Amino acid sequence: MFGSVKKNIMIEKSNKKNLMLQNKAKKMIPGLTQLLSKRPDMFSVDVWPGYFSKAKGAKVWDLDGNEYLDMSISGIGANILGYAVDEVDNDVISNIKNGVSSSLNCPEDVALAEKLLELHTWADEVRYARCGGEAMTVAVRIARAATGKDKIAFSGYHGWHDWYLSANVTDDSNLNDHLIAGLSPKGVPKALAGTAIPFSFNDIDALEALVLKHGSELAAIIMEPMRNFRAPEEYWRKVEEISKRLSIPLIIDEISMGFRINCGGSHLSLGINPDMAVFSKALANGYAMAAIVGKSKWMDAAQVSFISSTMWTERVGPTAALATINYYHENQVHEHLAMIGRQIKQGWQDLANKHNLKIHVSGIDALCHFGLEYDNFLTLKSYFIEKMLEQNILATNMFYCMYAHKNEHVKQYLTAVDNAFSELAYAIKNPAVMDHVIPSTSGFKRLN
């Protein structure tokens, strides 16, 4: 055993600046951070460092000078190449010196459009935003403008905007099966009730039932291409047939899955034929950038609806996206992600077997996670995070792979997991050793 009490004191001493800033932030920033998935309570309260001073490759340094190997969420999947990648940053820095914005437009807009259309030959036009949630909202606006209809049928997680959260206006559990449970619709106009209608993934009968009731009012079908598993191509052929029958666009949300399994949209590898696709996260390796690509039949509606923002014309996002895509293509990054991810998933399973832990491993290789099949899973998760931090590794039960993750990192990580799983096995039989542990938060909850 590492000695939970002794180690927890060590963490508290070395985490002083991080915790002080967290406490300060709580008083000035509602919810502490701008992203739910980066809230420290989602990991391990009073243990997770929360803030970084610098990041490079697969390493992160916190405010107290502690160095960690990051085998956790990798910027929530945004840093697909790794942190501070020279080939991307150098292009960005060069263009910053030439001016980030001006009264004229940046030529990188056109260059990036050419690149995205080269990757997605089915598409004709491109529009930009700077983050995934707003890009999805742009896609919804375009679909509604093109069809003259209001209702959206959707499957999956699609962000925080009113069009999506309106699904919870009539029942705040409607989104519980779409990644994040408990999303509050407070602040969303009640008049939007019934305009966003969820359906289950890989269940064509569920979609057909929705269409039977709302088909004539639907403006679009919006779906993630997959999350934990692939749907068969036969399913997608039926979804595509429904969209064509209704004369509405099929919009694929690639914000999480894009660039995970290939260079471009995962729909290209999954045999999905969309009318529009939306990208962000991995598109620009951590720089703010989002894109909507689609067929002219639908995208032209962007000119008849007012969709406009000053900051969508800045130069950094498109520059970073171009450099990221070029680096990705030259290094066939997806092959490396799959190789590393397979090792991690197999390592979790093997080590769980070694320590007689009940585990469930799922997700694609490049974005995988595990669940411990015990009633106190959130406490065990927090304890696991604590034990990994003691070994200078940022880890949770989820792993977003980066190109910067190498075989030696996998070896170091799995050695640490072996130690942590040993501690978990002991704690399951001797729960008193976890008396100090605050369970990880699950879903959307108010931060006190």
Side-chain angles (χ1 to χ4, degrees):
M1 299 298 105
F2 293 133
S4 298
V5 175
K6 181 179 179 181
K7 280 290 182 177
N8 202 43
I9 292 173
M10 288 178 64
I11 289 176
E12 185 177 352
K13 286 183 178 179
S14 64
N15 211 15
K16 185 177 180 181
K17 291 182 180 178
N18 299 311
L19 295 180
M20 284 178 62
L21 195 59
Q22 287 179 36
N23 291 329
K24 185 177 183 180
K26 287 178 184 178
K27 299 174 183 177
M28 298 184 293
I29 302 173
L32 191 146
T33 181
Q34 314 307 311
L35 180 68
L36 173 64
S37 298
K38 285 189 179 182
R39 273 182 16 185
D41 63 297
M42 302 295 286
F43 302 94
S44 187
V45 175
D46 295 337
V47 174
W48 190 254
Y51 295 93
F52 77 104
S53 60
K54 67 174 182 176
K56 181 69 175 177
K59 299 289 186 69
V60 173
W61 288 261
D62 69 13
L63 302 185
D64 288 284
N66 299 306
E67 177 183 326
Y68 303 98
L69 171 63
D70 190 352
M71 301 294 286
S72 62
I73 54 178
S74 302
I76 311 295
N79 299 91
I80 197 163
L81 304 182
Y83 300 126
V85 174
D86 292 340
E87 289 83 350
V88 177
D89 291 355
N90 288 343
D91 282 2
V92 169
I93 292 168
S94 177
N95 265 352
I96 286 175
K97 292 180 178 179
N98 289 325
V100 170
S101 64
S102 81
S103 297
L104 304 181
N105 294 294
C106 67
E108 288 80 10
D109 275 1
V110 181
L112 179 57
E114 288 179 326
K115 179 64 69 174
L116 290 170
L117 295 178
E118 178 185 315
L119 293 174
H120 305 93
T121 56
W122 58 268
D124 306 303
E125 297 177 356
V126 181
R127 281 296 298 252
Y128 301 125
R130 285 301 180 273
C131 68
E134 66 180 10
M136 279 307 308
T137 301
V138 170
V140 168
R141 173 74 70 79
I142 289 173
R144 285 172 167 165
T147 62
K149 300 175 182 180
D150 295 336
K151 293 186 178 181
I152 304 295
F154 72 87
S155 175
Y157 173 72
H158 304 293
W160 67 274
H161 285 251
D162 285 4
W163 78 265
Y164 181 65
L165 290 186
S166 66
N168 270 4
V169 168
T170 54
D171 184 342
D172 61 10
S173 65
N174 279 340
L175 296 174
N176 283 5
D177 294 328
H178 297 265
L179 187 62
I180 300 178
L183 293 179
S184 173
K186 288 185 181 299
V188 176
K190 293 180 176 61
L192 293 179
T195 58
I197 310 163
F199 64 93
S200 299
F201 183 71
N202 197 30
D203 183 348
I204 200 64
D205 291 336
L207 178 56
E208 286 283 17
L210 189 159
V211 168
L212 185 63
K213 188 175 182 179
H214 303 280
S216 63
E217 302 171 282
L218 290 179
I221 298 172
I222 296 179
M223 302 182 66
E224 288 188 291
M226 64 176 178
R227 179 62 72 164
N228 295 323
F229 64 92
R230 301 185 180 199
E233 287 197 29
E234 179 185 1
Y235 170 75
W236 287 110
R237 296 294 80 78
K238 292 178 180 178
V239 173
E240 292 164 16
E241 187 279 325
I242 290 171
S243 70
K244 287 182 173 60
R245 186 202 320 162
L246 299 176
S247 297
I248 60 176
L250 170 60
I251 302 174
I252 297 298
D253 179 345
E254 290 276 9
I255 293 166
S256 290
M257 296 308 304
F259 293 88
R260 304 281 170 215
I261 63 176
N262 61 2
C263 187
S266 64
H267 63 270
L268 299 172
S269 297
L270 298 173
I272 306 170
N273 300 299
D275 296 292
M276 297 166 62
V278 180
F279 298 86
S280 190
K281 284 195 185 288
L283 178 61
N285 201 50
Y287 289 96
M289 189 64 209
I292 306 97
V293 304
K295 297 175 181 178
S296 295
K297 176 181 179 180
W298 309 109
M299 295 294 291
D300 278 344
Q303 296 193 71
V304 297
S305 178
F306 184 60
I307 303 171
S308 181
S309 175
T310 298
M311 299 314 298
W312 292 347
T313 68
E314 61 81 39
R315 195 177 207 172
V316 171
T319 298
L322 281 166
T324 298
I325 293 171
N326 289 335
Y327 184 95
Y328 190 111
H329 182 72
E330 290 169 5
N331 292 280
Q332 293 297 290
V333 168
H334 58 282
E335 295 179 1
H336 180 80
L337 301 181
M339 181 269 292
I340 294 293
R342 283 193 295 269
Q343 293 182 63
I344 297 296
K345 291 166 72 175
Q346 189 61 55
W348 285 339
Q349 188 65 62
D350 290 345
L351 292 171
N353 293 341
K354 174 182 176 180
H355 296 288
N356 296 312
L357 293 175
K358 292 181 288 186
I359 196 172
H360 175 70
V361 176
S362 59
I364 66 168
D365 293 335
L367 200 173
C368 50
H369 59 274
F370 70 83
L372 295 169
E373 298 175 346
Y374 300 89
D375 292 339
N376 62 339
F377 167 63
L378 293 177
T379 299
L380 293 172
K381 174 185 172 181
S382 182
Y383 194 56
F384 171 76
I385 290 168
E386 177 184 315
K387 293 303 166 187
M388 295 299 286
L389 284 171
E390 289 172 4
Q391 300 173 84
N392 298 313
I393 295 178
L394 293 178
T396 180
N397 67 313
M398 182 182 296
F399 175 65
Y400 280 84
C401 190
M402 301 187 289
Y403 188 68
H405 288 130
K406 307 303 180 187
N407 287 326
E408 58 266 28
H409 297 139
V410 173
K411 183 177 180 180
Q412 178 185 349
Y413 171 73
L414 291 179
T415 297
V417 172
D418 190 3
N419 294 331
F421 277 11
S422 174
E423 293 279 344
L424 289 180
Y426 180 82
I428 289 168
K429 296 178 180 178
N430 303 275
V433 302
M434 297 190 295
D435 284 348
H436 67 283
V437 175
I438 300 173
S440 299
T441 298
S442 176
F444 176 75
K445 296 177 182 177
R446 179 182 175 88
L447 183 65
N448 295 318

